């Protein structure tokens, strides 16, 4: 725990961050969060930090209970009204004292408000949690991790040294099949995954075409090649990123291809921009669309180890020309002192599918290992979210 004299600069940092937030700076929220975290770490004894971390799994299990029992659903369906524990017991059929204990945790976590004795009301977190995408993340990141996490000691002992390029994932070790094999046969899990990916894109990240100067580059491409541009969103899920680009560039004559597996493409929602063409494609097969202006990969490569990522990149590079650009929308990790949210994602992808988040050097080496080789041009970042755009071209391109 920090000495009192060491705390004042941290308090000043909070004041500075709060002022920046109120001025509307793009990373104002992150500044405030970081400043508050720094002060909390400074004042909390180490044993308190350890104990709080130990109970994260208990908190997640209780959240699953609240959702399965229909408690948060009942509150969110009537957000202007408060409901008592008796009301929730009547509507859910569960024991009143169990409900009181579960809701004690939910209100402590701020997933609902306790407005009176054993009386609860929805807040913004309650309502947001009931979005299908956030329900999907709970299944994939919380419930699944709890199930295969119990096997981690045995996994490490049997697979030492655990090189993720040659070792099965913990998920596969525990379940006897890969994450992706589960997706193919379990419609509920597949829907949860698709919803989770779409929701994270909508609410967690700055649009790719805001980070990267997409329109000016496309205009340059049109002048240089005297042709309308083609953009291919590889593994683009439900088309959120491509639709966002199309909406922001309503006047642009272009062809937009949304590529994903057949089981994903058949569930692409209605209402996408008419220029978008949903197309079934396995990105480990040869890329059928040659010479596109932009090939775009959003949170795809972090799902795969280096061997599979090089295979995927090689399929894409083979289709590129010297006028093509590859954009990889993913995290670029710091070499040291990384944030918790990015470290979380790195370990999650490793445990679930032997994937990884990568540093600048790792991205550069991965791109160079493709055949034909690719060259990292620039990393485009935004203060609004933890992901960046890695721009790459064929190594021989100007």
């Amino acid at each position: 725990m920090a000495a009192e004299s060491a705390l004042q600069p941290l308090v000043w940092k909070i004041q500075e961050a709060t002022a920046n937030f109120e001025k509307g700076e793009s990373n104002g929220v992150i500044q405030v969060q970081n400043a508050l975290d720094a002060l909390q770490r400074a004042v909390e004894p180490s044993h308190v930090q350890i104990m709080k971390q130990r109970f994260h799994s208990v908190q997640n299990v209780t959240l699953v209970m609240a959702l399965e029992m229909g408690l948060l659903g009942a509150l969110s369906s009537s957000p202007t009204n408060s409901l008592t524990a008796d009301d929730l017991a009547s509507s859910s059929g569960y024991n009143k004292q169990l409900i009181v204990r579960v809701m004690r945790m939910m209100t402590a976590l701020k997933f609902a408000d306790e407005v009176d004795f054993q009386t609860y009301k929805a807040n913004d977190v309650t309502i947001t949690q009931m979005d299908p995408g956030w329900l999907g993340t709970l299944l994939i990141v919380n419930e699944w991790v709890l199930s295969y996490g119990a096997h981690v000691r045995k996994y490490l002992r049997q697979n030492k040294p655990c090189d993720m390029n040659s070792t099965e994932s913990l998920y596969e070790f525990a379940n006897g099949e890969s994450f992706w094999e589960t997706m193919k046969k379990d419609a509920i899990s597949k829907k949860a995954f698709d919803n989770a990916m779409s929701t994270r894109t909508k609410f967690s990240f700055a649009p790719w075409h805001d980070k990267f100067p997409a329109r000016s580059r496309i205009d340059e491409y049109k002048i240089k090649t005297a042709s309308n541009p083609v953009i291919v969103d590889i593994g683009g899920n439900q088309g959120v990123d491509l639709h966002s680009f199309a909406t922001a560039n309503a006047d642009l004559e272009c062809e937009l291809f949304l590529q994903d597996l057949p089981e994903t493409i058949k569930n692409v929602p209605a209402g996408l921009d008419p220029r978008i063409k949903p197309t079934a494609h396995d990105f480990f097969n040869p890329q059928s669309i040659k010479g596109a202006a932009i090939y775009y990969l959003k949170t795809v490569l972090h799902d795969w180890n280096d061997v599979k990522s090089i295979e995927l990149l090689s399929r894409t590079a083979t289709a590129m020309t010297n006028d093509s650009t590859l954009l990889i929308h993913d995290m670029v990790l710091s070499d040291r002192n990384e944030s918790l949210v990015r470290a979380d994602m790195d370990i999650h992808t490793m445990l679930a599918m032997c994937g990884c988040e990568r540093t600048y050097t790792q991205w550069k080496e991965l791109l160079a290992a493709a055949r034909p080789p690719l060259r990292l041009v620039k990393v485009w970042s935004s203060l609004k979210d933890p992901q960046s755009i890695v721009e790459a071209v064929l190594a021989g391109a100007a």
Side-chain angles (χ1 to χ4, degrees):
M1 186 167 63
E4 185 175 350
S5 60
L7 298 181
Q8 189 59 55
L10 298 176
V11 174
W12 291 334
K13 197 69 176 178
I14 292 173
Q15 295 171 338
E16 178 185 354
T18 302
N20 291 337
F21 172 76
E22 291 176 340
K23 288 189 292 186
E25 290 196 9
S26 59
N27 68 331
V29 173
I30 296 174
Q31 287 186 48
V32 173
Q33 290 173 336
N34 290 344
L36 290 172
D37 286 345
L39 180 61
Q40 182 172 332
R41 287 194 301 271
V43 300
E44 276 188 345
S46 58
H47 69 275
V48 173
Q49 294 184 38
I50 291 171
M51 185 59 69
K52 287 170 67 175
Q53 188 278 332
R54 293 296 183 270
F55 280 95
H56 285 178
S57 57
V58 176
Q59 296 165 16
N60 288 334
V61 169
T62 311
L63 175 56
V64 173
M65 292 176 68
L67 290 164
E68 182 65 23
M69 293 165 68
L71 307 182
L72 298 188
L75 291 171
S76 65
S77 65
S78 184
T80 60
N81 299 321
S82 56
L83 297 176
T84 66
D86 287 318
D87 294 331
L88 292 171
S90 176
S91 64
S92 70
Y94 285 97
N95 176 269
K96 175 184 174 182
Q97 287 308 311
L98 174 62
I99 290 170
V100 169
R101 296 172 76 179
V102 170
M103 289 306 300
R104 183 180 294 129
M105 178 70 85
M106 290 300 95
T107 56
L109 291 172
K110 309 306 180 187
F111 271 73
D113 294 332
E114 188 167 14
V115 295
D116 206 339
F117 178 69
Q118 296 183 0
T119 305
Y120 315 100
K121 190 174 183 180
N123 58 29
D124 288 345
V125 179
T126 321
I127 296 167
T128 300
Q129 174 59 76
M130 295 309 298
D131 179 275
W134 295 120
L135 292 172
T137 62
L138 186 67
L139 174 66
I140 294 166
V141 179
N142 291 352
E143 293 183 65
W144 284 10
V145 172
L146 290 172
S147 69
Y148 59 73
H151 299 265
V152 68
R153 292 181 186 273
K154 185 177 180 181
Y155 170 79
L156 289 171
R157 290 166 183 163
Q158 291 189 11
N159 292 284
K160 191 175 181 178
C162 293
D163 180 349
M164 291 300 132
N165 286 315
S166 56
T167 303
E168 65 182 348
S169 69
L170 177 58
Y171 180 95
E172 186 170 356
F173 178 83
N175 293 286
E177 64 181 16
S178 72
F179 179 93
W180 305 112
E181 288 168 330
T182 300
M183 291 290 101
K184 287 183 179 179
K185 68 181 187 182
D186 185 340
I188 293 175
S189 295
K190 181 66 170 67
K191 184 65 174 175
F193 179 80
D194 289 345
N195 287 341
M197 295 304 100
S198 293
T199 293
R200 286 180 66 237
T201 296
K202 287 178 182 177
F203 297 108
S204 301
F205 308 122
W208 67 275
H209 47 88
D210 285 351
K211 296 179 190 176
F212 176 78
R215 185 56 189 262
S216 63
R217 290 294 190 85
I218 286 172
D219 289 341
E220 292 171 5
Y221 174 90
K222 291 174 68 176
I223 293 171
K224 184 177 181 181
T225 65
S227 61
N228 287 331
V230 173
I231 300 176
V232 185
D233 187 352
I234 306 168
N237 202 268
Q238 298 181 347
V240 172
D241 279 48
L242 213 52
H243 182 70
S244 172
F245 170 81
T247 301
N249 294 276
D251 62 326
L252 180 64
E253 292 186 28
C254 60
E255 292 185 88
L256 305 174
F257 289 91
L258 171 63
Q259 293 184 335
D260 215 306
L261 295 172
E263 55 265 33
T264 300
I265 291 297
K266 72 179 181 182
N267 292 317
V268 168
L272 292 180
D273 187 280
R275 289 168 291 177
I276 297 175
K277 301 175 182 178
T279 308
H281 175 68
D282 181 337
F283 46 55
F284 289 116
N285 290 334
Q287 175 57 255
S288 59
I289 301 174
K290 312 294 185 182
I294 293 175
Y295 294 92
Y296 177 72
L297 286 162
K298 167 70 173 292
T299 57
V300 170
L301 292 170
H302 80 157
D303 290 339
W304 302 94
N305 62 25
D306 286 350
V307 173
K308 297 299 289 184
S309 293
I310 290 168
E311 180 183 346
L312 193 164
L313 287 169
S314 296
R315 295 296 192 188
T316 305
T318 300
M320 294 170 63
T321 69
N322 285 342
D323 294 317
S324 300
T325 298
L326 172 63
L327 300 179
I328 301 169
H329 198 171
D330 238 317
M331 292 183 182
V332 179
L333 298 182
S334 303
D335 288 329
R336 58 193 295 267
N337 295 328
E338 187 49 88
S339 67
L340 181 59
V341 66
R342 287 147 67 102
D344 276 340
M345 186 59 69
D346 179 49
I347 296 298
H348 171 63
T349 58
M350 179 186 72
L351 297 178
M353 65 266 300
C354 286
C356 70
E357 305 297 346
R358 296 175 170 92
T359 64
Y360 178 92
T361 299
Q362 288 173 315
W363 280 117
K364 186 176 180 180
E365 292 174 349
L366 189 75
L367 290 163
R371 291 295 175 265
L374 294 158
R375 173 169 53 86
L376 194 158
V377 176
K378 183 174 180 178
V379 173
W380 302 82
S381 300
S382 167
L383 295 173
K384 296 180 181 179
D385 70 57
Q387 292 193 330
S388 300
I389 301 285
V390 177
E391 179 188 1
V393 297
L394 291 174

